[in-house]
Amino acid sequence: MLEDRSTIYAKVAPERIADVNWIMEGYEHLALVSTIDHQEGIILLRGTPDTYNDVLEIVENMPFSVEILESFNEAL
């Protein structure tokens, strides 16, 4: 199976979901932020293969804790 290089699943404190969205908006919408589970703080950042590395770097350097979910299945 090919690795999906356009989406990143992450977990943040629920009160930080809007902050992630605002930060990504400041980067000219490199990725669209969607909430998967508000109570758990699960979000999806959907970009493109060309923006994947930039989005990953931004997420890894947020001024608050963000856990990248390496294997997340929305169907569960």
Side-chain angles (χ1 to χ4, degrees):
M1 176 186 249
L2 293 175
E3 181 182 347
D4 182 359
R5 303 266 309 159
S6 63
T7 60
I8 298 170
Y9 287 93
K11 183 173 182 175
V12 298
E15 63 271 13
R16 294 296 193 177
I17 293 172
D19 297 334
V20 173
N21 190 47
W22 293 327
I23 289 169
M24 292 311 300
E25 285 177 359
Y27 282 97
E28 298 298 326
H29 302 283
L30 284 177
L32 174 66
V33 179
S34 299
T35 302
I36 303 300
D37 185 333
H38 176 73
Q39 291 179 332
E40 294 294 321
I42 307 295
I43 59 173
L44 166 65
L45 295 103
R46 184 170 291 134
T48 67
D50 290 341
T51 63
Y52 179 87
N53 289 331
D54 293 331
V55 173
L56 187 59
E57 183 176 353
I58 292 164
V59 170
E60 290 176 336
N61 290 288
M62 294 263 176
F64 45 83
S65 178
V66 178
E67 177 186 354
I68 304 298
L69 302 176
E70 296 294 333
S71 59
F72 183 81
N73 186 346
E74 283 189 65
L76 294 178

